[in-house]
Amino acid sequence: VQSGPPSPRALTMRRLWVLASLLGAASAFVALQPSSSSRLSPLYANNPGAKKRIKTNERNRVRNAAWRSRVRTWTRKTSLAIEKGDVDQAKECARVATSMIDRATRRKIYHKNWAARHKSRLSKKVIALILKQRAEEAGPNADNVETSPPAAA
């Protein structure tokens, strides 16, 4: 049984308890958003080397994503040029796409076999378009039109 006003310590404790309960209730309505720049915070790492690897991996992931995006963009541009039937644009886009694939492969973003396979598919499509255009220019009764890809010099 208390006979007088509450002590300052009791008031402080009561205020802290009310504040903590209000914050706890409010946090139920707040959605926590993970950081968009980092998948895993260095806080989860237990030693300095692991923290450094997390930072390095994140930096490389962003850099590799940029290179993959460039390769996909130029591959898509080449495919669109082939669909339109524009030989000159298809040749140029294929040249740039091949260069992008080679550069990304040198940076270990793609495996060398993946790069070779995709460059080969692109060049086959462009060569087929070139041969189709030659056949159309020669006309329907031209027998001497070269229908196979040009031989390597």
Side-chain angles (χ1 to χ4, degrees), residues 2 5 7 33 35 37 39-40 63 72 100 116 123 125 150-151:
Q2 212 172 13
S7 68
Q33 295 290 332
S35 172
S37 65
R39 290 182 172 185
L40 184 64
R63 188 178 297 149
R72 283 193 304 263
M100 288 289 163
S123 63
K125 290 177 184 176

Side-chain angles (χ1 to χ4, degrees), residues 84-87 128-142 145-147:
K84 287 193 314 189
D86 188 350
V87 174
L129 179 65
I130 293 169
L131 294 177
K132 180 180 171 186
Q133 184 193 31
R134 284 185 188 171
E136 288 173 357
E137 288 176 356
N141 51 359
V145 175
E146 185 179 338
T147 57

Side-chain angles (χ1 to χ4, degrees), residues 73-95 122 125-126 129-130 132:
T73 297
W74 281 103
T75 304
R76 186 174 55 247
K77 285 182 180 182
T78 305
S79 297
L80 290 174
I82 291 170
E83 287 175 12
K84 287 193 314 189
D86 188 350
V87 174
D88 294 330
Q89 186 179 3
K91 282 172 149 177
E92 179 62 21
C93 289
R95 184 188 64 78
L122 268 180
K125 290 177 184 176
V126 172
L129 179 65
I130 293 169
K132 180 180 171 186

Side-chain angles (χ1 to χ4, degrees), residues 104-149:
T105 304
R106 277 198 304 269
R107 288 168 171 83
K108 308 282 192 225
I109 295 168
Y110 292 120
H111 190 273
K112 62 181 181 176
N113 293 356
W114 183 98
R117 185 172 65 246
H118 280 75
K119 290 189 306 183
S120 174
R121 288 176 183 169
L122 268 180
S123 63
K124 279 183 184 177
K125 290 177 184 176
V126 172
I127 289 170
L129 179 65
I130 293 169
L131 294 177
K132 180 180 171 186
Q133 184 193 31
R134 284 185 188 171
E136 288 173 357
E137 288 176 356
N141 51 359
D143 293 333
N144 60 355
V145 175
E146 185 179 338
T147 57
S148 61

Side-chain angles (χ1 to χ4, degrees), residues 1-81:
V1 178
Q2 212 172 13
S3 60
S7 68
R9 184 166 190 252
L11 284 174
T12 304
M13 292 300 289
R14 190 177 297 159
R15 287 181 186 137
L16 284 175
W17 183 81
V18 170
L19 182 62
S21 61
L22 287 174
L23 285 175
S27 68
F29 297 103
V30 176
L32 296 176
Q33 295 290 332
S35 172
S36 62
S37 65
S38 172
R39 290 182 172 185
L40 184 64
S41 171
L43 299 176
Y44 294 118
N46 290 326
N47 57 41
K51 290 178 184 177
K52 183 177 179 181
R53 280 310 299 169
I54 289 172
K55 290 179 189 174
T56 305
N57 289 343
E58 178 63 21
R59 184 180 66 235
N60 290 343
R61 184 187 69 81
V62 171
R63 188 178 297 149
N64 293 349
W67 272 103
R68 284 193 304 269
S69 176
R70 284 184 215 143
V71 168
R72 283 193 304 263
T73 297
W74 281 103
T75 304
R76 186 174 55 247
K77 285 182 180 182
T78 305
S79 297
L80 290 174

